[in-house]
Amino acid sequence: MKVIRGRKSIVGCIVELTEEGYTTQLSLEKSLQVVDHAPDGFQWGYNGSGPAQLSAAILYEVTSNEDLARQYYQIFKHDQVAQWGETFEINEHQVLAWLSTVGALQVNVVDTAKIEFEAFNQLYEKAFQRWKRASGAGQGHQVLEAIPPCENAISLTQDWVEKYKPHIQELRPFTSKAFEWMPMIEEIRKKLRQFRILLSYRQADRPLLETADKIREEVEELLENHCYLLEV
């Protein structure tokens, strides 16, 4: 997933692109092929030439479509770029979601699934961060405070599987279309395995344990579905 981050410093505005663990500078040169508003560099936080250049750069980086970027960069600048503060972060799924809302493109099924996946994946991350902090501090009674965010995440995961399972099953195995789904399925499987470890913690009040056991049953059922999907 592409993530674009910006920060303002005493040496100027720094805009970075991170993809698959590698971080580089967002290309000003590429964006100048789309529009030429600010050859001196990017800006954001107001309506002007620098923010317009950044807007075009982001849209072109995400879509690789000069015509689309040229058509919508001013609207994107007004709606998004001009509103940002000293720092910003935006990922490709958020950009695609914005483009969809303004009718710039019809987001396909996989792109929609990625947007929904990111929502509940962040809930898992939040839960595991709580878990690690409590465990590291020796606060055993607080470990299960990580469960509520996972309850929401599991519910969303279940909805996601029910919604997209038919689409995955219709695909031929080991084709490029099928492989588009695999990173999400693998990550869900990983998160659910981690959650099972969290649920193995047994030094807590009984009501919390009962809640944890109930969630564990749901997780195991979801794991069966995910394993099945992985074999499709």
Side-chain angles (χ1 to χ4, degrees), residues 15-203:
V15 183
E16 296 176 330
L17 168 68
T18 300
E19 183 177 15
E20 297 182 355
Y22 295 95
T23 299
T24 58
Q25 297 294 312
L26 183 65
S27 176
L28 174 64
E29 290 73 19
K30 284 170 58 177
S31 72
L32 291 172
Q33 299 173 14
V34 181
V35 294
D36 188 351
H37 284 297
D40 293 334
F42 300 127
Q43 265 289 356
W44 62 88
Y46 63 96
N47 284 295
S49 59
Q53 197 67 50
L54 176 59
S55 177
I58 292 173
L59 293 184
Y60 181 58
E61 181 63 43
V62 170
T63 66
S64 300
N65 187 321
E66 287 190 22
D67 292 336
L68 185 148
R70 195 174 291 116
Q71 182 176 355
Y72 287 96
Y73 78 95
Q74 290 286 11
I75 304 174
F76 186 68
K77 178 191 72 174
H78 177 77
D79 285 356
Q80 299 288 323
V81 179
Q83 312 304 320
W84 294 339
E86 290 297 305
T87 64
F88 74 86
E89 177 177 323
I90 191 167
N91 63 53
E92 63 180 302
H93 302 319
Q94 292 170 317
V95 175
L96 290 172
W98 179 87
L99 287 168
S100 179
T101 63
V102 297
L105 50 78
Q106 294 295 322
V107 179
N108 63 34
V109 173
V110 176
D111 288 332
T112 303
K114 287 179 180 178
I115 294 169
E116 295 174 6
F117 165 79
E118 286 298 326
F120 64 74
N121 194 43
Q122 290 175 9
L123 288 176
Y124 282 120
E125 291 294 341
K126 180 180 179 181
F128 296 141
Q129 287 172 7
R130 288 187 184 181
W131 176 27
K132 290 178 181 178
R133 284 198 301 268
S135 298
Q139 299 171 333
H141 64 286
Q142 295 184 12
V143 170
L144 289 182
E145 290 183 4
I147 289 178
C150 268
E151 285 185 283
N152 294 332
I154 290 171
S155 176
L156 292 172
T157 301
Q158 194 167 28
D159 291 342
W160 189 93
V161 171
E162 291 176 357
K163 180 177 180 179
Y164 294 110
K165 180 178 176 180
H167 295 284
I168 299 171
Q169 289 178 316
E170 290 175 0
L171 300 174
R172 291 183 60 189
F174 310 114
T175 61
S176 60
K177 291 290 185 181
F179 284 136
E180 286 182 316
W181 294 88
M182 299 313 289
M184 290 182 286
I185 301 297
E186 288 280 12
E187 187 63 23
I188 290 171
R189 190 183 189 202
K190 175 184 174 183
K191 289 295 193 302
L192 292 173
R193 282 178 171 174
Q194 290 176 314
F195 191 53
R196 291 180 72 186
I197 297 173
L198 188 158
L199 292 180
S200 68
Y201 191 85
R202 282 295 177 264
Q203 297 179 9

Side-chain angles (χ1 to χ4, degrees), residues 141 144-145 147-148 151 199 201-216:
H141 64 286
L144 289 182
E145 290 183 4
I147 289 178
E151 285 185 283
L199 292 180
Y201 191 85
R202 282 295 177 264
Q203 297 179 9
D205 295 337
R206 186 173 183 80
L208 288 176
L209 283 176
E210 291 175 353
T211 301
D213 288 338
K214 181 179 179 181
I215 298 171
R216 184 170 188 170

Side-chain angles (χ1 to χ4, degrees), residues 216-228:
R216 184 170 188 170
E217 292 176 3
E218 297 176 3
V219 169
E220 289 173 349
E221 182 178 349
L222 287 173
L223 276 172
E224 292 178 4
N225 289 336
H226 293 161
C227 289
Y228 173 71

